[in-house]
Amino acid sequence: MRFASSFFDRASQALNRSPAFSKLIVVFAVSSGGIVAYADAKSDHVAESSQVSGKKKLVVLGTGWAGMSFLKNVDASLYDVQVVSPRNYFAFTPLLPSVTCGTVEPRSIVEPIRNIVKKNGGVKFWEAECFNVDPVKKKVHCRSNIGTNRDGNGEFTVDYDYLVIALGAKPNTFNTPGVVEHCHFLKEVEDAQKIRRSVMNCFEKACLPNLSEEERRKNLHFVIVGGGPTGVEFAAELHDFVTKDLAKLYPTLKDLVRISVVEAGEHILTMFDKRITKFAEEKFQRDGIEVKTNFRVVKVTDKAITMTNAATGEINVPYGMAVWSTGIGTRPVILDFMKQVGQANRRVLATDEWLRVCNCDGIYALGDCATISQRKVMEDISEIFRVADVDRSGTLTLKEIKDVLDDICERYPQVELYLKSKQMKNFVDLLRDSEGNPLKESKELDIEEFKKALVHVDSQVKMLPATAQVAAQQGNYLAQCFNKMKICEEYPEGPLRIRGSGRHRFRPFRYKHLGQFAPLGGEQTAAQLPGDWISIGHSTQWLWYSIYASKQVSWRTRLLVIGDWTRRFIFGRDSSCI
């Protein structure tokens, strides 16, 4: 043993003197007892270099649209970036309805998160779920299902200087009894795979002998609860799958299939232009897809869905498979965090226009888990007047208003939206003197006249939709802010501070709507694009193909998705239950 000790001492000294042997692992066994010694100097070196460099710890929770966009664009050389997510991949969720029916394969729409960040060197990834955020101690508590610690529970904590919360949302069941137990959701890749297997199981079950026609019809009744984009697209995909592929494999069952879309409102696709809503409802009627509007689901059992309507009252509808797609709800970890930061009465986490969580230091939130709480003009009207009144005369001239006009429009986006809604060319068109005439250069406004001119502007404050497009733009915006944080501390680029002095470091986040699609089956898609341009038909379907292929996060997934579409054109959809 003395020889072994002296050997290890000399080996340790040699390793410390020779960096070239930093990866050397020395294993030595004495008789059957086995003594193992190892040296991994590189890992210690990395930890020490991170501390010596003085980089601030930037922790990102989530690898969805917001988290992925942030990680792709942030400069990891400026921070010690650490990512925590229960899934080690990014999923292109707009194609999930295509996965449910075999149009696209699951692996074609996912990209490992390590592939995404490998070009942005230095990013650390932990596959774990965050179950608690401590804003006071600046710690994130995580739990891993694939590993364990000395306590055997897989829990660990991560310290942070900056925290980016991009945890997304969960399906909203509205506490309807039986939904969680008996309905499918369509939020994750695993959900789409379960739906695909369930559809095929319904057909196989309906093929079994000794079943009555009523039982076969029940097994082949597919109910989609929710008439939003996801529910409508899934209904269209399912209809195409049944009529173009399964009808050939199950010829005796094709006339027994029934697809129903249940919507609590008066119409489906209410977030689209009315022309698209009308076309979608008429097309579904032609295709034989039943659209039940003004129906509210109150209960789901393993055999029937109970729904109510003002005209018909309560009815029970037997079904074979049900998909619940009625919007999103807040995750438990976010609800707990909201209680800690004084937002317990809100439905979703509130941030300011710079995506900073209100009442928190160094915490940002983006994507479906948060919403921007836009400041209202009338809340700050007195401060706006004070900032504009540079000569402290108690009145505003047209020149004084024009000097702060750009800052007002940038700080309060509802101003431009209101001008557009009233078909006004610029802010000055809002201003009127005491007699109601357009303000002239020689005229001045007092504060009451200024308030009167802007009193209706806040009617255009709008909540941003919970879409992938919004989340991706927020992730890119926040990454750019982090990249130029040091520069903007010295040379701020944002608008004037209405409450305080100087300027904001950054320009506030401004969402740019690039349009939205609604695939309606039969190689027809409806599109609502900027400029109030509506396009419906087969040509729009090809536009949808090109845009969705271009939006893939890698060439690998891009080629896989295009390959899946090509395969479907040639061979049809895969009907296996894998």
Side-chain angles (χ1 to χ4, degrees):
M1 289 299 293
R2 183 177 304 171
F3 167 75
S5 300
S6 61
F7 173 79
F8 286 128
D9 290 339
R10 290 195 298 272
S12 177
Q13 292 172 7
L15 286 171
N16 290 332
R17 291 195 303 267
S18 304
F21 294 105
S22 60
K23 292 183 178 180
L24 177 65
I25 299 178
V26 180
V27 180
F28 186 79
V30 177
S31 74
S32 61
I35 301 176
V36 179
Y38 66 92
D40 188 1
K42 184 175 180 181
S43 60
D44 293 336
H45 175 69
V46 171
E48 292 174 3
S49 64
S50 177
Q51 296 174 357
V52 172
S53 65
K55 290 182 182 179
K56 292 193 174 182
K57 293 182 180 179
L58 171 57
V59 177
V60 182
L61 302 181
T63 53
W65 278 96
M68 179 276 301
S69 179
F70 179 83
L71 291 170
K72 279 187 69 176
N73 294 284
V74 71
D75 186 352
S77 66
L78 301 176
Y79 304 92
D80 178 12
V81 183
Q82 303 176 33
V83 186
V84 179
S85 176
R87 63 183 192 188
N88 69 344
Y89 60 87
F90 162 76
F92 192 87
T93 52
L95 285 178
L96 284 179
S98 298
V99 175
T100 61
C101 298
T103 305
V104 174
E105 291 301 316
R107 287 195 177 276
S108 299
I109 67 167
V110 300
E111 183 70 17
I113 200 67
R114 296 182 189 275
N115 283 356
I116 295 175
V117 302
K118 67 181 180 182
K119 294 181 180 179
N120 202 354
V123 177
K124 304 181 186 71
F125 174 77
W126 322 120
E127 186 174 336
E129 183 177 7
C130 170
F131 65 89
N132 183 45
V133 176
D134 188 341
V136 177
K137 296 181 179 179
K138 289 198 170 186
K139 292 181 180 293
V140 174
H141 298 265
C142 308
R143 182 184 297 114
S144 173
N145 292 324
I146 60 173
T148 183
N149 57 16
R150 287 178 296 181
D151 297 329
N153 55 17
E155 295 184 2
F156 61 93
T157 61
V158 180
D159 298 330
Y160 69 85
D161 295 300
Y162 299 112
L163 178 64
V164 176
I165 302 176
L167 291 173
K170 67 172 187 177
N172 191 352
T173 66
F174 300 97
N175 295 321
T176 306
V179 170
V180 175
E181 293 83 1
H182 306 295
C183 290
H184 292 281
F185 301 110
L186 194 47
K187 284 286 290 179
E188 304 288 346
V189 174
E190 293 83 359
D191 296 333
Q193 292 174 305
K194 290 177 182 177
I195 291 173
R196 182 173 175 176
R197 287 191 291 269
S198 182
V199 169
M200 296 314 306
N201 287 338
C202 287
F203 273 85
E204 294 297 344
K205 192 184 299 182
C207 282
L208 294 175
N210 302 324
L211 288 181
S212 65
E213 183 173 320
E214 181 182 356
E215 290 175 311
R216 298 185 201 276
R217 289 185 181 276
K218 170 186 174 297
N219 288 329
L220 296 176
H221 185 199
F222 302 96
V223 179
I224 299 97
V225 183
T230 302
V232 167
E233 185 175 349
F234 170 67
E237 277 279 352
L238 181 59
H239 177 265
D240 284 354
F241 188 31
V242 171
T243 56
K244 296 181 180 179
D245 299 283
L246 297 183
K248 301 173 184 177
L249 303 176
Y250 304 88
T252 60
L253 301 179
K254 63 180 181 179
D255 295 329
L256 303 180
V257 177
R258 179 182 170 198
I259 301 174
S260 301
V261 178
V262 181
E263 168 58 40
E266 294 183 2
H267 297 281
I268 61 175
L269 297 179
T270 54
M271 66 292 301
F272 282 81
D273 186 274
K274 292 181 180 179
R275 290 168 287 180
I276 292 179
T277 297
K278 182 180 179 183
F279 179 85
E281 291 176 346
E282 291 175 350
K283 185 180 186 305
F284 274 16
Q285 185 177 9
R286 292 193 302 270
D287 292 342
I289 299 175
E290 183 181 11
V291 178
K292 302 174 76 68
T293 55
N294 294 312
F295 275 87
R296 185 171 63 89
V297 174
V298 296
K299 183 181 178 182
V300 181
T301 66
D302 60 339
K303 297 181 179 179
I305 296 176
T306 304
M307 56 186 77
T308 61
N309 176 271
T312 62
E314 188 174 290
I315 59 173
N316 290 319
V317 179
Y319 72 97
M321 187 193 78
V323 174
W324 189 271
S325 177
T326 61
I328 58 174
T330 306
R331 294 187 183 276
V333 62
I334 299 296
L335 291 173
D336 293 340
F337 176 65
M338 290 167 63
K339 293 177 182 178
Q340 297 183 63
V341 298
Q343 297 189 28
N345 296 327
R346 297 185 59 89
R347 291 189 301 109
V348 66
L349 188 61
T351 71
D352 62 13
E353 298 87 335
W354 291 268
L355 307 183
R356 300 173 299 197
V357 176
C358 301
N359 306 321
C360 285
D361 176 37
I363 302 180
Y364 301 79
L366 52 163
D368 294 353
C369 70
T371 186
I372 295 176
S373 181
Q374 176 63 50
R375 289 288 299 183
K376 294 183 178 180
V377 171
M378 295 310 294
E379 292 176 348
D380 296 335
I381 191 69
S382 298
E383 295 300 317
I384 295 173
F385 189 90
R386 179 188 62 80
V387 171
D389 186 17
V390 292
D391 61 0
R392 299 294 181 264
S393 64
T395 58
L396 295 182
T397 63
L398 192 58
K399 181 181 181 305
E400 287 177 323
I401 294 173
K402 288 181 177 179
D403 288 342
V404 297
L405 180 57
D406 290 340
D407 293 296
I408 292 175
C409 291
E410 190 170 30
R411 182 67 179 82
Y412 305 96
Q414 61 264 42
V415 173
E416 287 186 353
L417 293 175
Y418 182 77
L419 293 175
K420 184 179 180 181
S421 69
K422 297 297 181 181
Q423 298 181 340
M424 295 179 179
K425 293 183 178 179
N426 54 55
F427 184 81
V428 178
D429 294 338
L430 280 174
L431 305 177
R432 295 289 187 271
D433 59 21
S434 58
E435 298 175 0
N437 299 316
L439 190 65
K440 298 179 179 179
E441 291 285 350
S442 58
K443 294 286 186 177
E444 297 183 358
L445 290 179
D446 61 24
I447 189 169
E448 294 303 322
E449 293 169 336
F450 191 60
K451 288 180 180 179
K452 185 177 180 180
L454 301 177
V455 67
H456 298 298
V457 167
D458 290 325
S459 63
Q460 292 297 314
V461 173
K462 298 184 183 297
M463 298 271 289
L464 293 179
T467 63
Q469 193 176 156
V470 172
Q473 290 187 27
Q474 287 180 336
N476 180 54
Y477 163 82
L478 189 59
Q480 301 305 327
C481 290
F482 271 90
N483 292 346
K484 55 189 176 183
M485 187 172 290
K486 288 187 177 180
I487 297 175
C488 288
E489 285 179 356
E490 188 174 353
Y491 304 103
E493 61 178 23
L496 286 170
R497 294 182 182 272
I498 301 302
R499 296 178 180 273
S501 59
R503 289 184 171 273
H504 291 278
R505 284 185 300 179
F506 313 110
R507 293 185 175 90
F509 172 74
R510 186 69 63 89
Y511 170 61
K512 184 178 181 181
H513 184 60
L514 302 177
Q516 53 188 348
F517 289 92
L520 301 173
E523 294 298 314
Q524 294 190 66
T525 291
Q528 183 173 338
L529 303 174
D532 197 30
W533 182 42
I534 303 298
S535 177
I536 303 173
H538 297 284
S539 60
T540 311
Q541 177 72 29
W542 286 99
L543 178 63
W544 180 86
Y545 283 136
S546 62
I547 290 180
Y548 272 39
S550 66
K551 291 295 182 181
Q552 298 299 314
V553 297
S554 71
W555 275 103
R556 185 189 71 85
T557 55
R558 188 172 295 120
L559 293 175
L560 285 173
V561 166
I562 294 174
D564 288 343
W565 287 334
T566 305
R567 173 188 50 77
R568 195 266 298 175
F569 274 114
I570 299 173
F571 301 108
R573 297 169 179 84
D574 181 17
S575 61
S576 60
C577 292
I578 298 176

